[in-house]
Amino acid sequence: MTHFIRISLLTAAISMATPGIYAAPDTGIYECVEVQPEFHGGNNELFKWLNANIKYPVSAMENGTQGKVVVKFTIKKDGTVEDPVVVRSVDPALDAEAVRVVKAMPKWKPALLKGEAVDCHYTLPVNFRLQNR
């Protein structure tokens, strides 16, 4: 039996706890910046890339498991993506797939602060939905 899947990017935004520009004192990774990091081509290209690269886990598909996994990661000043962590879990299989695909992302345009590239946290919600359910 073939299942059709729909994976959608709900929103993608820098995580912002409080206004202002600051970096975590222990890591030097910024939470707020002047220019946010960007997937090359913007959010539409990010959405296409996610849809092309996410593989809905068979166990989740068989169990009808759906939901939004939120992953927080660092975009380094050279644009590489590092240290993805699930901050909102749905199911171990969906969580693992969201982390896998984040680790596989190509380089991004880095965040800028005062014209300089900086390391920055990014939070990405990924919605896993089975169609015809």
Side-chain angles (χ1 to χ4, degrees), residues 44-55:
N44 286 337
E45 289 302 312
L46 173 59
F47 176 72
K48 287 180 194 174
W49 191 90
L50 287 170
N51 275 321
N53 289 279
I54 290 180
K55 297 175 180 111

Side-chain angles (χ1 to χ4, degrees), residues 27-42:
T27 65
I29 300 171
Y30 284 84
E31 297 292 331
C32 297
V33 291
E34 293 169 340
V35 178
Q36 296 181 1
E38 180 182 29
F39 190 85
H40 287 279

Side-chain angles (χ1 to χ4, degrees), residues 21-132:
I21 299 170
Y22 64 93
D26 55 335
T27 65
I29 300 171
Y30 284 84
E31 297 292 331
C32 297
V33 291
E34 293 169 340
V35 178
Q36 296 181 1
E38 180 182 29
F39 190 85
H40 287 279
N43 283 342
N44 286 337
E45 289 302 312
L46 173 59
F47 176 72
K48 287 180 194 174
W49 191 90
L50 287 170
N51 275 321
N53 289 279
I54 290 180
K55 297 175 180 111
Y56 213 107
V58 174
S59 63
M61 205 180 303
E62 289 172 347
N63 293 326
T65 306
Q66 306 180 91
K68 178 173 54 174
V69 176
V70 180
V71 181
K72 184 175 181 177
F73 51 94
T74 302
I75 299 172
K76 303 296 281 182
K77 58 180 128 187
D78 69 356
T80 57
V81 174
E82 292 186 354
D83 305 323
V85 176
V86 173
V87 294
R88 180 175 176 208
S89 176
V90 172
D91 170 85
L94 295 181
D95 298 350
E97 180 57 15
V99 168
R100 183 200 67 79
V101 82
V102 166
K103 286 181 176 179
M105 283 182 174
K107 287 187 175 185
W108 289 48
K109 293 179 188 174
L112 299 176
L113 182 61
K114 298 180 184 175
E116 297 286 327
V118 294
D119 296 347
C120 184
H121 282 136
Y122 197 86
T123 302
L124 180 69
V126 180
N127 196 23
F128 289 85
R129 289 281 174 242
L130 292 167
Q131 292 182 346
N132 301 327

